[in-house]
mmCIF file of all heavy atoms in Angstrom:
data_model
loop_
_atom_site.group_PDB
_atom_site.id
_atom_site.type_symbol
_atom_site.label_atom_id
_atom_site.label_comp_id
_atom_site.label_asym_id
_atom_site.label_seq_id
_atom_site.Cartn_x
_atom_site.Cartn_y
_atom_site.Cartn_z
ATOM 1 N N ARG A 229 9.377 -6.619 -7.642
ATOM 2 C CA ARG A 229 9.962 -7.965 -7.956
ATOM 3 C C ARG A 229 9.015 -8.669 -8.997
ATOM 4 O O ARG A 229 9.493 -9.484 -9.692
ATOM 5 C CB ARG A 229 10.214 -8.791 -6.718
ATOM 6 C CG ARG A 229 8.931 -9.096 -5.918
ATOM 7 C CD ARG A 229 9.261 -9.860 -4.601
ATOM 8 N NE ARG A 229 8.119 -10.072 -3.785
ATOM 9 C CZ ARG A 229 7.283 -11.115 -3.934
ATOM 10 N NH1 ARG A 229 7.466 -12.007 -4.856
ATOM 11 N NH2 ARG A 229 6.227 -11.277 -3.121
ATOM 12 N N PHE A 287 0.907 -5.680 -18.632
ATOM 13 C CA PHE A 287 2.114 -6.274 -19.108
ATOM 14 C C PHE A 287 2.738 -5.312 -20.028
ATOM 15 O O PHE A 287 2.218 -5.050 -21.124
ATOM 16 C CB PHE A 287 1.831 -7.657 -19.780
ATOM 17 C CG PHE A 287 3.036 -8.225 -20.478
ATOM 18 C CD1 PHE A 287 3.957 -9.000 -19.755
ATOM 19 C CD2 PHE A 287 3.243 -7.984 -21.799
ATOM 20 C CE1 PHE A 287 5.067 -9.492 -20.407
ATOM 21 C CE2 PHE A 287 4.283 -8.577 -22.440
ATOM 22 C CZ PHE A 287 5.267 -9.293 -21.740
ATOM 23 N N LEU A 295 4.230 1.211 -11.439
ATOM 24 C CA LEU A 295 5.096 1.637 -10.323
ATOM 25 C C LEU A 295 5.283 3.192 -10.388
ATOM 26 O O LEU A 295 5.564 3.810 -9.390
ATOM 27 C CB LEU A 295 6.436 0.956 -10.356
ATOM 28 C CG LEU A 295 6.390 -0.583 -10.137
ATOM 29 C CD1 LEU A 295 7.800 -1.168 -10.309
ATOM 30 C CD2 LEU A 295 5.796 -0.934 -8.782
ATOM 31 N N LYS A 305 -6.439 6.244 -17.217
ATOM 32 C CA LYS A 305 -6.479 4.927 -17.898
ATOM 33 C C LYS A 305 -7.835 4.265 -17.645
ATOM 34 O O LYS A 305 -8.371 3.675 -18.535
ATOM 35 C CB LYS A 305 -5.289 4.090 -17.351
ATOM 36 C CG LYS A 305 -5.206 2.765 -17.973
ATOM 37 C CD LYS A 305 -4.773 2.744 -19.390
ATOM 38 C CE LYS A 305 -3.262 3.095 -19.443
ATOM 39 N NZ LYS A 305 -2.663 3.056 -20.782
ATOM 40 N N GLY A 380 6.169 21.517 -49.835
ATOM 41 C CA GLY A 380 4.926 22.227 -50.155
ATOM 42 C C GLY A 380 3.662 21.498 -49.628
ATOM 43 O O GLY A 380 2.621 22.076 -49.487
ATOM 44 N N ARG A 421 -12.441 24.256 -43.542
ATOM 45 C CA ARG A 421 -12.951 23.882 -44.904
ATOM 46 C C ARG A 421 -12.482 22.467 -45.172
ATOM 47 O O ARG A 421 -13.232 21.666 -45.824
ATOM 48 C CB ARG A 421 -12.431 24.861 -45.958
ATOM 49 C CG ARG A 421 -13.197 26.199 -45.947
ATOM 50 C CD ARG A 421 -12.801 27.033 -47.156
ATOM 51 N NE ARG A 421 -11.408 27.371 -47.215
ATOM 52 C CZ ARG A 421 -10.979 28.509 -46.689
ATOM 53 N NH1 ARG A 421 -11.780 29.351 -46.070
ATOM 54 N NH2 ARG A 421 -9.728 28.814 -46.717
ATOM 55 N N TYR A 443 -5.500 19.856 -53.575
ATOM 56 C CA TYR A 443 -6.187 18.600 -53.582
ATOM 57 C C TYR A 443 -6.007 17.895 -52.283
ATOM 58 O O TYR A 443 -4.910 18.037 -51.617
ATOM 59 C CB TYR A 443 -5.688 17.609 -54.746
ATOM 60 C CG TYR A 443 -6.032 18.064 -56.113
ATOM 61 C CD1 TYR A 443 -5.109 18.634 -56.945
ATOM 62 C CD2 TYR A 443 -7.356 17.958 -56.571
ATOM 63 C CE1 TYR A 443 -5.469 19.058 -58.222
ATOM 64 C CE2 TYR A 443 -7.692 18.254 -57.882
ATOM 65 C CZ TYR A 443 -6.717 18.836 -58.706
ATOM 66 O OH TYR A 443 -7.073 19.203 -59.945
ATOM 67 N N LEU A 444 -6.961 17.093 -51.797
ATOM 68 C CA LEU A 444 -6.909 16.399 -50.530
ATOM 69 C C LEU A 444 -6.870 14.920 -50.816
ATOM 70 O O LEU A 444 -7.824 14.413 -51.471
ATOM 71 C CB LEU A 444 -8.038 16.785 -49.656
ATOM 72 C CG LEU A 444 -8.366 18.245 -49.432
ATOM 73 C CD1 LEU A 444 -9.580 18.407 -48.521
ATOM 74 C CD2 LEU A 444 -7.125 18.944 -48.774
ATOM 75 N N VAL A 481 11.313 11.454 -77.459
ATOM 76 C CA VAL A 481 12.241 11.872 -78.497
ATOM 77 C C VAL A 481 13.397 10.896 -78.649
ATOM 78 O O VAL A 481 13.866 10.494 -79.690
ATOM 79 C CB VAL A 481 12.795 13.307 -78.270
ATOM 80 C CG1 VAL A 481 13.933 13.617 -79.223
ATOM 81 C CG2 VAL A 481 11.671 14.319 -78.439
ATOM 82 N N ALA A 534 16.107 -13.983 -104.121
ATOM 83 C CA ALA A 534 17.411 -14.617 -104.235
ATOM 84 C C ALA A 534 17.337 -16.016 -104.870
ATOM 85 O O ALA A 534 18.110 -16.337 -105.754
ATOM 86 C CB ALA A 534 18.124 -14.635 -102.925
ATOM 87 N N LYS A 557 30.376 -26.005 -132.615
ATOM 88 C CA LYS A 557 30.055 -27.043 -133.703
ATOM 89 C C LYS A 557 29.865 -26.300 -134.979
ATOM 90 O O LYS A 557 30.308 -26.786 -136.085
ATOM 91 C CB LYS A 557 28.835 -27.809 -133.312
ATOM 92 C CG LYS A 557 29.087 -28.739 -132.102
ATOM 93 C CD LYS A 557 27.806 -29.530 -131.858
ATOM 94 C CE LYS A 557 28.052 -30.583 -130.711
ATOM 95 N NZ LYS A 557 26.795 -31.314 -130.383
#
Side-chain angles (χ1 to χ4, degrees):
R229 60 184 177 87
F287 170 83
L295 299 176
K305 180 75 70 177
R421 286 192 294 268
Y443 290 106
L444 308 178
V481 171
K557 289 182 180 181

